[in-house]
Amino acid sequence: VNLTITPDEGYEVDQITVVRGGVTVVDNKFNIGTADVKIRVTFKAIVPSTYGIIVEDDGHGTAKAQVGGADVTSAAPGASVTLTAEPNDGYAFKEWQIVHGLDSGAITDNSFTMPSKEVKVKAVFEKEYAVEAEAGGHGTVSADVTKGVSGKAVNLTITPDEGYEVDQIT
């Protein structure tokens, strides 16, 4: 007797058991003996060797995932995945949002360890503004940055010429 065994999608044969009949199943075949035969087949889910990585952006830049320097859309559990975000002009990278598949705080220094499930993350960018500092005469002024995001502290270095002092900052 040839057994035809068809697992559902995503499953594979786990075990073929002879419940009664005393036959031996080899390569899904057995010979009928002198008793009724009952065969039980159990199935198990197929565990993928890799899981998907979905990297989204908010429209103000691009983002991707890499393993070993190569762009990827999936990775094996335990792989070190590096996330890269490239802001559009006028924007700066702000943060990675975990949509699903990772615990809060799992992304450290733009990297995470791939779990045994799909991961989805989103790159969030924020508007960046130009910073200019100019002296109205009789001294110099400079800012420690030329651009920054809302809420970022800007340090000014103000040096009046000899015999002058700062009158006002506008």
Side-chain angles (χ1 to χ4, degrees), residues 153-169:
V154 176
N155 294 309
L156 298 175
T157 301
I158 302 170
T159 309
D161 287 343
E162 190 173 322
Y164 289 87
E165 64 184 21
V166 175
D167 181 31
Q168 64 182 348
I169 300 173

Side-chain angles (χ1 to χ4, degrees), residues 6 24 27 30 41 71 80 104 122 126 139:
T6 308
T24 301
D27 295 327
F30 66 91
V41 179
D71 294 355
S80 178
S104 177
K122 181 177 183 178
E126 59 189 331

Side-chain angles (χ1 to χ4, degrees), residues 28-63:
N28 295 344
K29 299 177 192 173
F30 66 91
N31 292 323
I32 297 176
T34 58
D36 292 339
V37 175
K38 182 176 181 180
I39 305 290
R40 177 177 296 127
V41 179
T42 56
F43 301 92
K44 64 181 178 182
I46 297 172
V47 178
S49 57
T50 62
Y51 293 88
I53 303 171
I54 301 166
V55 181
E56 298 180 330
D57 61 70
D58 66 3
H60 299 294
T62 59

Side-chain angles (χ1 to χ4, degrees), residues 57-76:
D57 61 70
D58 66 3
H60 299 294
T62 59
K64 62 185 174 182
Q66 296 183 315
V67 173
D71 294 355
V72 296
T73 57
S74 65

Side-chain angles (χ1 to χ4, degrees), residues 103-165:
D103 293 332
S104 177
I107 300 173
T108 305
D109 296 326
N110 296 318
S111 295
F112 65 90
T113 301
M114 187 68 188
S116 296
K117 58 185 166 184
E118 180 183 82
V119 170
K120 185 174 185 180
V121 296
K122 181 177 183 178
V124 177
F125 300 92
E126 59 189 331
K127 182 75 175 138
E128 196 169 48
Y129 301 94
V131 175
E132 294 181 47
E134 72 176 31
H138 306 292
T140 61
V141 62
S142 64
D144 65 343
V145 296
T146 58
K147 53 189 169 180
V149 297
S150 180
K152 177 178 175 58
V154 176
N155 294 309
L156 298 175
T157 301
I158 302 170
T159 309
D161 287 343
E162 190 173 322
Y164 289 87
E165 64 184 21

